[in-house]
Amino acid sequence: MKISGFPASGRLKKLLCLLLPGLLLVSLTSSCSDRKEKIFRKSRILMDTLVTISVVADSGEKAEKAMERAFDEIASLDGTLNFFSGRSEVSLINRNAGVSPVEVSPSTIDLLTKALSASEKTEGAFDATIGPEIALWDFAAGRMPDDKTVRARLPLVNYKRLRVDRERSTAYLSERGMSIDLGAIAKGYAADRAVEELKELGIGAGLVSVAGDIKGFGLKPDGGAWKIGIRNPRATGADDIMATIELRDEAVSTSGDYERYFIKDGKRYHHILDPGTGYPSPWCRSVTVIAKDGVDADSFSTAVFVMGPERGMDVLRTMGFEGVIVDREGKVHVTPALRDRIEFQRNH
Ligand code: AMP
Ligand code: MG
């Protein structure tokens, strides 16, 4: 899914990089218990990335059915939120910017409402109306826009000009040229929705990962928690894990400056933009957020990345979320309650 404002070309090439998301699934070997429950796992390319679902079940048939339903749910969101498909609801909203409100499905209203709430709570550091700025950058080709254009488009980035009417089920961008890009929130939301489907089909434990946005529930058959690896943002290999965390009915997301970027004249230009400047935010290398819901972990990992370590830690505290920030110098900041739960690897 082109949920973010990147051209289709080069995205599949990028897929290999997405196999190395900020969060890595570890310890997923199947193990049997007295109850004969096992872990079943399946992956699929959806939302233009690798989606992996693991479920604990006592029969392959039950697991298969539940995983298919969860994949279908993600595929359906993909169709609704796809940035480039002319038929998606997001495209419809974008095409009608400054023209008229458009009617969209309840789940799009739900997600846009959550996006607006994240903007309000982060003083606009998260802003789903980043579309006009993100469209100027081509990270795959290493092309940066000229400064005049970046500045000219800044007034088009303003979440306050995105009007969501829940009663009428409509969304409206009030200025021509505005556009929504849900790349920083949709994957976490999709993980939430997939988990809901799994639970509805009677699955008591599982893990859904949409690239670096992961949601876990229940325990593995051996009674252990799902273990997640946080990638070293300056990793040289795919398995360079900085730390591990056990997930307890919660979601975890990482935003990193290593996911889509290029280096020009010794400077790194990456895909997480400061909505106030239109340029990549310079304060962090990676931010991992743990929250109950994937939609929060995803949107706040992006927002905290933009806010930087000081304001970022404040907002995590206010929201009651946990997190790990690797700042621009490589210094690691961990929220107090997470310090007992996080396990750093030797040499980190
Ligand atoms: P994530 O990897 O979740 O941090 O999402 C990054 C993606 O979200 C980028 O590729 C853009 O499509 C979009 N994005 C970039 N900067 C922002 C921002 N400040 N607020 C909201 N979305 C953003
Ligand atoms: Mg995000």
Side-chain angles (χ1 to χ4, degrees):
M1 167 169 78
K2 316 299 182 299
I3 46 173
S4 65
F6 288 98
S9 64
R11 291 187 72 93
L12 279 178
K13 258 194 288 172
K14 282 276 175 187
L15 202 55
L16 275 178
C17 304
L18 289 167
L19 296 177
L20 322 168
L23 297 164
L24 306 167
L25 306 181
V26 292
S27 301
L28 272 180
T29 44
S30 302
S31 63
C32 298
S33 76
D34 300 345
R35 293 171 295 158
K36 284 203 248 98
E37 283 195 317
K38 284 201 306 190
I39 299 175
F40 296 86
R41 180 160 63 155
K42 230 175 167 180
S43 294
R44 202 166 280 179
I45 305 287
L46 287 170
M47 300 181 95
D48 207 27
T49 194
L50 186 74
V51 178
T52 301
I53 300 182
S54 308
V55 299
V56 175
D58 53 13
S59 87
E61 207 181 318
K62 186 176 173 184
E64 184 77 19
K65 200 170 157 204
M67 287 191 285
E68 282 308 314
R69 272 275 282 276
F71 281 128
D72 285 352
E73 180 71 7
I74 298 175
S76 152
L77 285 170
D78 192 343
T80 318
L81 306 173
N82 185 321
F83 187 88
F84 285 106
S85 156
R87 284 172 305 161
S88 79
E89 293 187 346
V90 163
S91 297
L92 198 63
I93 297 168
N94 291 346
R95 270 205 307 279
N96 283 284
V99 180
S100 65
V102 295
E103 198 174 328
V104 291
S105 59
S107 70
T108 300
I109 293 290
D110 187 32
L111 182 54
L112 291 176
T113 306
K114 285 174 168 144
L116 287 177
S117 155
S119 296
E120 273 157 19
K121 285 168 178 148
T122 61
E123 295 161 23
F126 174 91
D127 195 327
T129 68
I130 197 77
E133 293 291 358
I134 207 83
L136 294 175
W137 295 81
D138 187 340
F139 297 101
R143 195 163 38 79
M144 65 185 291
D146 72 276
D147 187 54
K148 218 172 126 194
T149 318
V150 170
R151 280 200 263 160
R153 289 195 179 188
L154 279 178
L156 295 173
V157 179
N158 187 348
Y159 67 92
K160 289 177 184 153
R161 291 176 164 179
L162 165 61
R163 315 253 159 82
V164 177
D165 186 331
R166 291 182 75 93
E167 245 158 57
R168 291 196 170 88
S169 202
T170 61
Y172 178 50
L173 291 164
S174 72
E175 304 294 321
R176 260 180 202 277
M178 286 184 79
S179 64
I180 295 170
D181 171 350
L182 296 170
I185 189 169
K187 294 203 286 296
Y189 182 67
D192 288 339
R193 294 280 299 261
V195 165
E196 272 171 39
E197 289 297 318
L198 295 177
K199 285 182 175 170
E200 240 168 62
L201 284 175
I203 300 294
L207 194 72
V208 174
S209 88
V210 186
D213 300 287
I214 301 177
K215 177 148 178 173
F217 65 107
L219 296 171
K220 292 190 292 177
D222 64 6
W226 303 102
K227 214 171 191 181
I228 297 301
I230 301 176
R231 188 177 185 241
N232 165 16
R234 292 293 175 268
T236 45
D239 54 358
D240 188 352
I241 289 172
M242 180 179 89
T244 56
I245 307 173
E246 291 195 338
L247 272 198
R248 308 167 184 160
D249 292 323
E250 57 201 348
V252 56
S253 288
T254 291
S255 292
D257 69 359
Y258 51 84
E259 284 175 53
R260 298 174 206 272
Y261 71 98
F262 61 88
I263 294 185
K264 197 177 173 199
D265 301 328
K267 197 171 168 204
R268 182 183 289 252
Y269 295 90
H270 60 82
H271 68 141
I272 302 169
L273 304 184
D274 182 336
T277 65
Y279 283 93
S281 177
W283 311 116
C284 302
R285 291 181 183 176
S286 78
V287 172
T288 299
V289 171
I290 301 171
K292 201 174 143 290
D293 294 319
V295 72
D296 291 327
D298 195 358
S299 52
F300 278 78
S301 66
T302 309
V304 168
F305 191 104
V306 171
M307 295 174 101
E310 283 93 39
R311 283 173 65 217
M313 286 301 258
D314 285 348
V315 88
L316 289 177
R317 193 178 316 118
T318 309
M319 295 302 299
F321 300 155
E322 301 302 330
V324 184
I325 301 174
V326 183
D327 70 20
R328 65 196 296 187
E329 269 101 38
K331 188 168 172 234
V332 180
H333 310 249
V334 183
T335 51
L338 194 63
R339 285 178 204 148
D340 295 338
R341 284 175 60 191
I342 191 163
E343 217 173 283
F344 283 96
Q345 307 297 295
R346 261 180 293 151
N347 76 355
H348 281 293

